Amino acid sequence: MQHNKLHNVRGRIQYISSREKQENLYAVYETVPAEYWRDLAKENRADFARSGTAGTCIEAREFIIALPKYMTGYDPEELLRYFTESFKRKYGAECAAALHHNKSRTNYHIHLIYSERQKLDEPVRKIASRNMFFDPDGKRVRTKKEATDEHGLLPGYRMVPKGESYEEHLFEKKNPIFKQKNFTENAKEFFTELINEQLPEQLKMRIFPKNGPYLPTKKIGKNNPHAGEIRKTNQLKDEWNKCINKARARGVPRDSLMRVKQELIVKPVGESVQKSAGRREPVTFRTILAAGVKILTVMLKELQREGPQVWAKAWGDAQDDFMKFCKQKLTRDEINTQRETGKGKAR
């Protein structure tokens, strides 16, 4: 799922909803009329100019949500309305959305554009208590002398007479929820839940929060020169995640699995990055992953025949000792295997 800033919201809406520009466009849905986006863009640009902030004004934001192929069999208009109205109910945001396939018809996805601001029931106007002057960027100047010369107003400057409106707001301030660090991750979980509600049990999607025991796999983009490296790494991550699933199914506490992940993956990766002057070496990372999978597999096997008291202690107070024991056992087994292989070759 992509989350993008939009610097030209009206242009973006026209692009995603145009049948001339989108050859595989199936549905379009908006929660507000087109003039809403015109007014929103105008006010965001005006507020941005007054703030004096460097950069480019953000007029709205957009999610691009990849859908499973299975959903191509659903009614596109109903599907798009379901996603859009669900997002609006949860976050209180007005939306404009479109449902597409890419040109090769391999990527079924939704473009969901949303506003970070709610429209006010009535406009709020600020009235000038005296004649006010503004520079070409819309910023207020303190005195008439700064805005005029003997011929009158300087080029680009303007005056708002006493008693007239010098600033008007049609929208509330931006909702702070959209600026929270975890908003994108929360929205990703929300969209995944929406997708899963429409899928049979065997096709339901899984999500791996950043701070959980799982390792999220990386999507491989088209023509990615590192596709082979990413595929190998994803395969190891899948093996790790399967081990975590087995552990969770057996009732291993989440905190215990987080300690295992920290000790077997996070800590060694951090040490390797330090040794390589801040670089993350793919081969080294995969070596760490492979070792972590092996050790976790041994930990699960060692407790298969143990009773609940031993099991609870191994994943609780004695977890560090248990992990150390499994590492040593794995090392001994690998050494013995190498010796046996060497004897076989000698014969």
Side-chain angles (χ1 to χ4, degrees):
M1 183 186 72
Q2 295 181 35
H3 191 200
N4 304 322
K5 301 173 184 177
L6 298 182
H7 307 298
N8 178 7
V9 63
R10 295 177 67 198
R12 183 62 176 170
I13 291 173
Q14 290 171 2
Y15 177 74
I16 67 170
S17 59
S18 170
R19 296 197 177 275
E20 294 179 358
K21 296 178 180 178
Q22 305 296 334
E23 58 184 272
N24 296 314
L25 173 63
Y26 303 112
V28 174
Y29 186 77
E30 294 188 53
T31 61
V32 284
E35 54 265 26
Y36 174 95
W37 302 104
R38 177 199 63 205
D39 294 340
L40 176 69
K42 182 179 178 181
E43 182 151 335
N44 277 336
R45 288 196 299 269
D47 288 350
F48 183 79
R50 280 192 291 268
S51 72
T53 306
T56 308
C57 174
I58 300 172
E59 297 180 359
R61 295 178 187 263
E62 174 189 25
F63 282 110
I64 302 177
I65 309 149
L67 301 176
K69 291 181 181 180
Y70 186 88
M71 285 189 164
T72 57
Y74 295 1
D75 181 279
E77 292 185 356
E78 290 290 336
L79 185 64
L80 186 62
R81 186 183 297 112
Y82 166 71
F83 270 82
T84 309
E85 289 292 346
S86 296
F87 184 85
K88 179 180 177 178
R89 281 195 300 273
K90 182 171 179 64
Y91 294 106
E94 303 296 351
C95 306
L99 181 60
H100 293 170
H101 251 132
N102 61 343
K103 289 185 179 181
S104 59
R105 296 176 64 85
T106 57
N107 184 355
Y108 196 51
H109 59 276
I110 289 173
H111 293 265
L112 192 148
I113 293 170
Y114 69 93
S115 168
E116 299 172 276
R117 308 175 75 164
Q118 282 280 3
K119 198 162 190 176
L120 296 163
D121 294 332
E122 295 291 336
V124 173
R125 295 182 175 89
K126 294 183 179 181
I127 306 301
S129 57
R130 59 183 179 84
N131 290 347
M132 299 177 67
F133 298 88
F134 298 85
D135 68 15
D137 294 326
K139 295 179 183 178
R140 182 180 173 184
V141 296
R142 291 180 299 172
T143 63
K144 177 180 178 180
K145 186 176 181 180
E146 295 177 77
T148 60
D149 59 16
E150 64 272 16
H151 303 294
L153 283 171
L154 295 171
Y157 284 74
R158 67 185 179 93
M159 183 191 79
V160 176
K162 177 181 177 180
E164 292 190 9
S165 171
Y166 67 90
E167 191 175 312
E168 181 181 76
H169 290 280
L170 302 178
F171 295 86
E172 297 176 357
K173 292 183 179 180
K174 291 186 177 182
N175 190 335
I177 192 174
F178 299 121
K179 294 185 179 180
Q180 293 176 358
K181 289 183 178 180
N182 61 348
F183 168 67
T184 301
E185 286 300 312
N186 290 341
K188 181 178 179 181
E189 293 183 22
F190 172 69
F191 287 127
T192 303
E193 290 172 1
L194 291 184
I195 292 171
N196 283 341
E197 287 175 7
Q198 305 296 312
L199 293 176
E201 187 63 35
Q202 68 272 21
L203 296 179
K204 290 187 185 298
M205 300 173 65
R206 292 177 301 168
I207 51 175
F208 302 127
K210 285 184 177 179
N211 296 324
Y214 294 94
L215 295 172
T217 54
K218 187 175 181 181
K219 183 178 179 180
I220 303 174
K222 187 178 180 181
N223 299 323
N224 189 324
H226 304 292
E229 295 281 343
I230 296 172
R231 196 171 290 111
K232 292 176 184 177
T233 303
N234 282 347
Q235 185 176 354
L236 286 168
K237 287 181 176 180
D238 284 337
E239 291 179 23
W240 171 270
N241 292 335
K242 288 176 183 177
C243 288
I244 295 295
N245 280 338
K246 288 180 182 178
R248 294 299 300 272
R250 295 175 188 175
V252 177
R254 182 180 182 277
D255 290 346
S256 297
L257 292 174
M258 287 299 298
R259 285 166 60 192
V260 171
K261 178 183 176 182
Q262 179 68 27
E263 183 67 26
L264 300 184
I265 306 295
V266 178
K267 189 175 175 181
V269 168
E271 291 171 352
S272 74
V273 169
Q274 285 185 341
K275 289 179 181 178
S276 59
R279 296 191 306 276
R280 184 163 166 165
E281 303 290 348
V283 176
T284 304
F285 181 55
R286 284 199 298 275
T287 301
I288 293 170
L289 283 181
V293 169
K294 288 180 180 179
I295 295 168
L296 183 53
T297 301
V298 172
M299 292 177 72
L300 294 172
K301 286 182 177 179
E302 283 296 312
L303 293 174
Q304 282 182 341
R305 298 178 181 83
E306 299 296 341
Q309 290 184 343
V310 175
W311 184 92
K313 188 172 182 62
W315 289 111
D317 297 339
Q319 182 170 335
D320 292 338
D321 291 335
F322 175 53
M323 200 182 313
K324 184 178 179 181
F325 166 78
C326 290
K327 286 181 183 179
Q328 292 171 344
K329 185 178 188 304
L330 179 62
T331 301
R332 289 196 304 270
D333 290 346
E334 289 178 343
I335 291 173
N336 291 334
T337 300
Q338 290 174 0
R339 285 175 178 171
E340 290 298 323
T341 303
K343 289 179 180 178
K345 288 181 179 180
R347 293 194 189 98

